[in-house]
CSV table of all heavy atoms in Angstrom, one decimal:
chain,number,residue,atom,x,y,z
J,1,VAL,N,10.2,-2.9,-6.9
J,1,VAL,CA,9.4,-1.7,-7.1
J,1,VAL,C,9.3,-1.1,-5.7
J,1,VAL,O,8.7,-1.7,-4.7
J,1,VAL,CB,8.0,-2.0,-7.7
J,1,VAL,CG1,7.2,-0.7,-7.7
J,1,VAL,CG2,8.2,-2.5,-9.1
J,2,GLY,N,9.7,0.1,-5.5
J,2,GLY,CA,9.6,0.9,-4.2
J,2,GLY,C,8.3,1.7,-4.2
J,2,GLY,O,8.0,2.3,-5.3
J,3,ILE,N,7.6,1.7,-3.1
J,3,ILE,CA,6.5,2.6,-3.0
J,3,ILE,C,6.9,3.7,-2.0
J,3,ILE,O,7.3,3.4,-0.8
J,3,ILE,CB,5.3,1.8,-2.5
J,3,ILE,CG1,4.9,0.8,-3.5
J,3,ILE,CG2,4.1,2.8,-2.3
J,3,ILE,CD1,3.6,0.0,-3.1
J,4,LEU,N,6.8,4.9,-2.4
J,4,LEU,CA,7.1,6.1,-1.5
J,4,LEU,C,5.8,6.5,-0.9
J,4,LEU,O,5.0,7.2,-1.6
J,4,LEU,CB,7.8,7.2,-2.3
J,4,LEU,CG,9.1,6.8,-3.0
J,4,LEU,CD1,9.6,8.1,-3.8
J,4,LEU,CD2,10.2,6.3,-2.0
J,5,LYS,N,5.6,6.1,0.3
J,5,LYS,CA,4.4,6.4,1.0
J,5,LYS,C,4.4,7.9,1.5
J,5,LYS,O,5.3,8.3,2.2
J,5,LYS,CB,4.2,5.6,2.3
J,5,LYS,CG,2.9,5.9,3.1
J,5,LYS,CD,2.9,5.0,4.4
J,5,LYS,CE,3.8,5.6,5.4
J,5,LYS,NZ,3.4,6.9,6.0
J,6,THR,N,3.4,8.7,1.1
J,6,THR,CA,3.4,10.1,1.4
J,6,THR,C,2.2,10.5,2.2
J,6,THR,O,1.9,11.7,2.5
J,6,THR,CB,3.5,11.0,0.1
J,6,THR,OG1,2.3,10.7,-0.7
J,6,THR,CG2,4.7,10.6,-0.7
J,7,GLY,N,1.4,9.5,2.6
J,7,GLY,CA,0.2,9.8,3.4
J,7,GLY,C,-0.5,8.5,3.8
J,7,GLY,O,0.0,7.4,3.6
J,8,ARG,N,-1.7,8.6,4.5
J,8,ARG,CA,-2.4,7.4,4.9
J,8,ARG,C,-3.9,7.7,4.8
J,8,ARG,O,-4.4,8.8,4.9
J,8,ARG,CB,-2.0,7.1,6.4
J,8,ARG,CG,-2.4,8.1,7.4
J,8,ARG,CD,-2.3,7.6,8.8
J,8,ARG,NE,-2.6,8.7,9.8
J,8,ARG,CZ,-3.8,9.1,10.1
J,8,ARG,NH1,-4.9,8.5,9.5
J,8,ARG,NH2,-4.0,10.0,11.0
J,9,PRO,N,-4.7,6.6,4.7
J,9,PRO,CA,-6.1,6.8,4.7
J,9,PRO,C,-6.6,7.2,6.1
J,9,PRO,O,-5.8,7.1,7.1
J,9,PRO,CB,-6.6,5.4,4.3
J,9,PRO,CG,-5.5,4.6,3.8
J,9,PRO,CD,-4.3,5.2,4.4
J,10,PRO,N,-7.9,7.6,6.3
J,10,PRO,CA,-8.4,7.8,7.6
J,10,PRO,C,-8.3,6.5,8.4
J,10,PRO,O,-8.5,5.4,7.9
J,10,PRO,CB,-9.9,8.1,7.3
J,10,PRO,CG,-9.9,8.7,5.9
J,10,PRO,CD,-8.8,7.9,5.2
J,11,ARG,N,-7.9,6.6,9.6
J,11,ARG,CA,-7.5,5.5,10.5
J,11,ARG,C,-8.6,4.4,10.5
J,11,ARG,O,-8.4,3.2,10.4
J,11,ARG,CB,-7.2,5.9,11.9
J,11,ARG,CG,-5.9,6.6,12.0
J,11,ARG,CD,-5.4,6.8,13.5
J,11,ARG,NE,-4.3,7.6,13.5
J,11,ARG,CZ,-3.0,7.2,13.3
J,11,ARG,NH1,-2.8,6.0,12.9
J,11,ARG,NH2,-2.0,8.1,13.4
J,12,PRO,N,-9.9,4.8,10.6
J,12,PRO,CA,-11.0,3.7,10.6
J,12,PRO,C,-11.0,2.9,9.3
J,12,PRO,O,-11.5,1.8,9.3
J,12,PRO,CB,-12.3,4.5,10.8
J,12,PRO,CG,-11.9,5.8,11.4
J,12,PRO,CD,-10.5,6.1,10.8
J,13,ALA,N,-10.5,3.5,8.2
J,13,ALA,CA,-10.6,2.8,6.9
J,13,ALA,C,-9.5,1.8,6.7
J,13,ALA,O,-9.6,0.9,5.8
J,13,ALA,CB,-10.7,3.8,5.8
J,14,ILE,N,-8.4,1.9,7.4
J,14,ILE,CA,-7.2,1.1,7.2
J,14,ILE,C,-7.4,-0.4,7.4
J,14,ILE,O,-7.0,-1.2,6.6
J,14,ILE,CB,-6.0,1.6,8.0
J,14,ILE,CG1,-5.6,3.0,7.5
J,14,ILE,CG2,-4.8,0.7,7.9
J,14,ILE,CD1,-4.5,3.7,8.3
J,15,GLU,N,-8.2,-0.7,8.4
J,15,GLU,CA,-8.5,-2.1,8.7
J,15,GLU,C,-9.2,-2.8,7.6
J,15,GLU,O,-8.9,-3.9,7.3
J,15,GLU,CB,-9.3,-2.2,10.1
J,15,GLU,CG,-9.5,-3.7,10.5
J,15,GLU,CD,-10.1,-3.8,11.8
J,15,GLU,OE1,-10.3,-2.8,12.5
J,15,GLU,OE2,-10.6,-4.9,12.1
J,16,GLN,N,-10.1,-2.1,7.0
J,16,GLN,CA,-10.9,-2.7,5.9
J,16,GLN,C,-10.2,-2.6,4.6
J,16,GLN,O,-10.2,-3.6,3.8
J,16,GLN,CB,-12.3,-2.0,5.8
J,16,GLN,CG,-13.2,-2.6,4.7
J,16,GLN,CD,-14.5,-2.0,4.7
J,16,GLN,OE1,-14.9,-1.1,5.5
J,16,GLN,NE2,-15.3,-2.4,3.7
J,17,PHE,N,-9.6,-1.5,4.3
J,17,PHE,CA,-9.1,-1.3,2.9
J,17,PHE,C,-7.5,-1.3,2.8
J,17,PHE,O,-7.0,-1.3,1.7
J,17,PHE,CB,-9.6,0.1,2.4
J,17,PHE,CG,-11.1,0.1,2.3
J,17,PHE,CD1,-11.8,0.9,3.3
J,17,PHE,CD2,-11.8,-0.5,1.3
J,17,PHE,CE1,-13.2,0.9,3.2
J,17,PHE,CE2,-13.2,-0.5,1.3
J,17,PHE,CZ,-13.9,0.2,2.2
J,18,GLY,N,-6.8,-1.2,4.0
J,18,GLY,CA,-5.4,-1.2,3.9
J,18,GLY,C,-4.8,0.1,3.8
J,18,GLY,O,-5.5,1.2,3.7
J,19,THR,N,-3.5,0.2,3.7
J,19,THR,CA,-2.7,1.4,3.6
J,19,THR,C,-2.7,1.8,2.1
J,19,THR,O,-3.0,0.9,1.2
J,19,THR,CB,-1.3,1.3,4.2
J,19,THR,OG1,-0.6,0.3,3.4
J,19,THR,CG2,-1.4,1.0,5.6
J,20,TYR,N,-2.1,2.9,1.8
J,20,TYR,CA,-2.0,3.3,0.3
J,20,TYR,C,-1.0,2.3,-0.4
J,20,TYR,O,-1.3,1.9,-1.5
J,20,TYR,CB,-1.6,4.7,0.2
J,20,TYR,CG,-2.7,5.7,0.5
J,20,TYR,CD1,-2.4,6.9,1.1
J,20,TYR,CD2,-4.0,5.4,0.2
J,20,TYR,CE1,-3.4,7.8,1.5
J,20,TYR,CE2,-5.0,6.3,0.6
J,20,TYR,CZ,-4.7,7.5,1.2
J,20,TYR,OH,-5.7,8.4,1.5
J,21,PRO,N,0.1,2.0,0.2
J,21,PRO,CA,1.0,1.0,-0.4
J,21,PRO,C,0.3,-0.3,-0.7
J,21,PRO,O,0.4,-0.9,-1.7
J,21,PRO,CB,2.2,0.8,0.5
J,21,PRO,CG,2.3,2.2,1.2
J,21,PRO,CD,0.8,2.6,1.4
J,22,GLU,N,-0.5,-0.8,0.3
J,22,GLU,CA,-1.2,-2.0,0.1
J,22,GLU,C,-2.3,-1.9,-1.0
J,22,GLU,O,-2.5,-2.9,-1.7
J,22,GLU,CB,-1.9,-2.4,1.5
J,22,GLU,CG,-0.9,-2.9,2.5
J,22,GLU,CD,-1.5,-3.0,3.9
J,22,GLU,OE1,-2.5,-2.3,4.2
J,22,GLU,OE2,-1.0,-3.8,4.7
J,23,MET,N,-2.9,-0.8,-1.2
J,23,MET,CA,-3.8,-0.6,-2.3
J,23,MET,C,-3.1,-0.7,-3.6
J,23,MET,O,-3.7,-1.4,-4.6
J,23,MET,CB,-4.5,0.8,-2.2
J,23,MET,CG,-5.4,0.9,-1.0
J,23,MET,SD,-6.2,2.6,-1.0
J,23,MET,CE,-7.0,2.6,0.6
J,24,PHE,N,-1.9,-0.2,-3.7
J,24,PHE,CA,-1.2,-0.4,-5.0
J,24,PHE,C,-0.8,-1.8,-5.2
J,24,PHE,O,-0.8,-2.3,-6.3
J,24,PHE,CB,0.0,0.6,-5.0
J,24,PHE,CG,-0.3,2.0,-5.4
J,24,PHE,CD1,-0.4,3.0,-4.5
J,24,PHE,CD2,-0.6,2.3,-6.7
J,24,PHE,CE1,-0.7,4.3,-4.8
J,24,PHE,CE2,-0.9,3.6,-7.1
J,24,PHE,CZ,-1.0,4.6,-6.1
J,25,MET,N,-0.3,-2.5,-4.2
J,25,MET,CA,0.0,-3.9,-4.3
J,25,MET,C,-1.2,-4.7,-4.8
J,25,MET,O,-1.0,-5.6,-5.6
J,25,MET,CB,0.6,-4.4,-3.0
J,25,MET,CG,1.9,-3.8,-2.6
J,25,MET,SD,2.4,-4.5,-1.0
J,25,MET,CE,3.6,-3.2,-0.4
J,26,GLU,N,-2.3,-4.4,-4.2
J,26,GLU,CA,-3.6,-5.1,-4.6
J,26,GLU,C,-3.9,-4.9,-6.0
J,26,GLU,O,-4.3,-5.8,-6.8
J,26,GLU,CB,-4.7,-4.7,-3.7
J,26,GLU,CG,-5.9,-5.6,-3.7
J,26,GLU,CD,-5.7,-7.0,-3.2
J,26,GLU,OE1,-4.8,-7.2,-2.3
J,26,GLU,OE2,-6.4,-7.9,-3.7
J,27,LEU,N,-3.8,-3.6,-6.5
J,27,LEU,CA,-4.1,-3.3,-7.8
J,27,LEU,C,-3.2,-3.9,-8.8
J,27,LEU,O,-3.6,-4.5,-9.9
J,27,LEU,CB,-4.0,-1.7,-8.0
J,27,LEU,CG,-4.3,-1.2,-9.4
J,27,LEU,CD1,-5.7,-1.4,-9.9
J,27,LEU,CD2,-3.9,0.3,-9.5
J,28,LEU,N,-1.9,-3.9,-8.5
J,28,LEU,CA,-0.8,-4.3,-9.5
J,28,LEU,C,-0.4,-5.8,-9.4
J,28,LEU,O,0.2,-6.3,-10.2
J,28,LEU,CB,0.4,-3.4,-9.4
J,28,LEU,CG,0.1,-1.9,-9.7
J,28,LEU,CD1,1.4,-1.1,-9.5
J,28,LEU,CD2,-0.5,-1.7,-11.0
J,29,GLY,N,-0.8,-6.4,-8.2
J,29,GLY,CA,-0.5,-7.8,-8.0
J,29,GLY,C,0.6,-7.9,-6.9
J,29,GLY,O,1.7,-7.5,-7.1
J,30,ARG,N,0.2,-8.6,-5.8
J,30,ARG,CA,1.1,-8.7,-4.7
J,30,ARG,C,2.3,-9.5,-5.1
J,30,ARG,O,3.4,-9.4,-4.5
J,30,ARG,CB,0.4,-9.3,-3.5
J,30,ARG,CG,-0.6,-8.3,-2.9
J,30,ARG,CD,-1.2,-8.8,-1.6
J,30,ARG,NE,-2.1,-7.8,-1.0
J,30,ARG,CZ,-1.7,-6.9,-0.1
J,30,ARG,NH1,-0.4,-6.8,0.2
J,30,ARG,NH2,-2.6,-6.0,0.3
J,31,ASP,N,2.2,-10.5,-6.0
J,31,ASP,CA,3.3,-11.3,-6.4
J,31,ASP,C,3.9,-10.9,-7.7
J,31,ASP,O,4.9,-11.5,-8.2
J,31,ASP,CB,2.8,-12.8,-6.6
J,31,ASP,CG,2.2,-13.4,-5.3
J,31,ASP,OD1,2.8,-13.0,-4.2
J,31,ASP,OD2,1.3,-14.1,-5.4
J,32,ALA,N,3.5,-9.7,-8.2
J,32,ALA,CA,4.0,-9.2,-9.5
J,32,ALA,C,5.4,-8.7,-9.4
J,32,ALA,O,6.2,-8.8,-10.3
J,32,ALA,CB,3.1,-8.2,-10.1
J,33,TYR,N,5.8,-8.1,-8.2
J,33,TYR,CA,7.1,-7.5,-8.0
J,33,TYR,C,7.6,-7.8,-6.7
J,33,TYR,O,6.9,-8.2,-5.8
J,33,TYR,CB,6.9,-5.9,-8.2
J,33,TYR,CG,6.3,-5.5,-9.5
J,33,TYR,CD1,5.0,-5.1,-9.6
J,33,TYR,CD2,7.0,-5.7,-10.7
J,33,TYR,CE1,4.4,-4.7,-10.8
J,33,TYR,CE2,6.4,-5.3,-11.9
J,33,TYR,CZ,5.1,-4.8,-12.0
J,33,TYR,OH,4.5,-4.5,-13.1
J,34,ASP,N,8.9,-7.4,-6.5
J,34,ASP,CA,9.6,-7.5,-5.2
J,34,ASP,C,9.3,-6.1,-4.6
J,34,ASP,O,10.0,-5.1,-4.9
J,34,ASP,CB,11.1,-7.7,-5.4
J,34,ASP,CG,11.8,-7.7,-4.1
J,34,ASP,OD1,11.2,-7.6,-3.0
J,34,ASP,OD2,13.1,-7.9,-4.1
J,35,TRP,N,8.3,-6.0,-3.8
J,35,TRP,CA,7.8,-4.7,-3.3
J,35,TRP,C,8.7,-4.2,-2.1
J,35,TRP,O,9.0,-5.0,-1.2
J,35,TRP,CB,6.4,-4.8,-2.8
J,35,TRP,CG,5.3,-5.0,-3.9
J,35,TRP,CD1,4.7,-6.2,-4.1
J,35,TRP,CD2,4.8,-4.1,-4.8
J,35,TRP,NE1,3.8,-6.1,-5.2
J,35,TRP,CE2,3.9,-4.8,-5.6
J,35,TRP,CE3,5.1,-2.7,-5.1
J,35,TRP,CZ2,3.2,-4.2,-6.7
J,35,TRP,CZ3,4.4,-2.1,-6.1
J,35,TRP,CH2,3.5,-2.8,-6.9
J,36,ARG,N,9.0,-2.9,-2.1
J,36,ARG,CA,9.7,-2.3,-1.0
J,36,ARG,C,8.9,-1.0,-0.6
J,36,ARG,O,8.5,-0.3,-1.5
J,36,ARG,CB,11.1,-1.9,-1.3
J,36,ARG,CG,12.0,-3.0,-1.9
J,36,ARG,CD,12.2,-4.1,-0.9
J,36,ARG,NE,12.9,-5.3,-1.6
J,36,ARG,CZ,14.2,-5.5,-1.7
J,36,ARG,NH1,15.0,-4.6,-1.2
J,36,ARG,NH2,14.6,-6.6,-2.2
J,37,VAL,N,8.6,-0.8,0.6
J,37,VAL,CA,7.8,0.4,1.0
J,37,VAL,C,8.7,1.3,1.9
J,37,VAL,O,9.4,0.8,2.8
J,37,VAL,CB,6.6,0.0,1.9
J,37,VAL,CG1,5.9,1.2,2.4
J,37,VAL,CG2,5.7,-0.9,1.0
J,38,PHE,N,8.7,2.6,1.5
J,38,PHE,CA,9.5,3.6,2.2
J,38,PHE,C,8.6,4.7,2.7
J,38,PHE,O,7.8,5.2,1.9
J,38,PHE,CB,10.6,4.2,1.3
J,38,PHE,CG,11.5,3.2,0.7
J,38,PHE,CD1,11.3,2.6,-0.6
J,38,PHE,CD2,12.6,2.8,1.4
J,38,PHE,CE1,12.1,1.6,-1.1
J,38,PHE,CE2,13.5,1.9,0.8
J,38,PHE,CZ,13.3,1.3,-0.4
J,39,ALA,N,8.6,5.0,3.9
J,39,ALA,CA,7.8,6.1,4.5
J,39,ALA,C,8.4,7.4,4.2
J,39,ALA,O,9.0,8.0,5.1
J,39,ALA,CB,7.6,5.8,6.0
């Protein structure tokens, strides 16, 4: 499963909550798929 990253959270929030691709991995399961991220 490829994640097409098209933006980012506010910089101060990234350390606590992660990037948008990381949010999707967390929601759907980090071990559920072979994740690929494309900027």
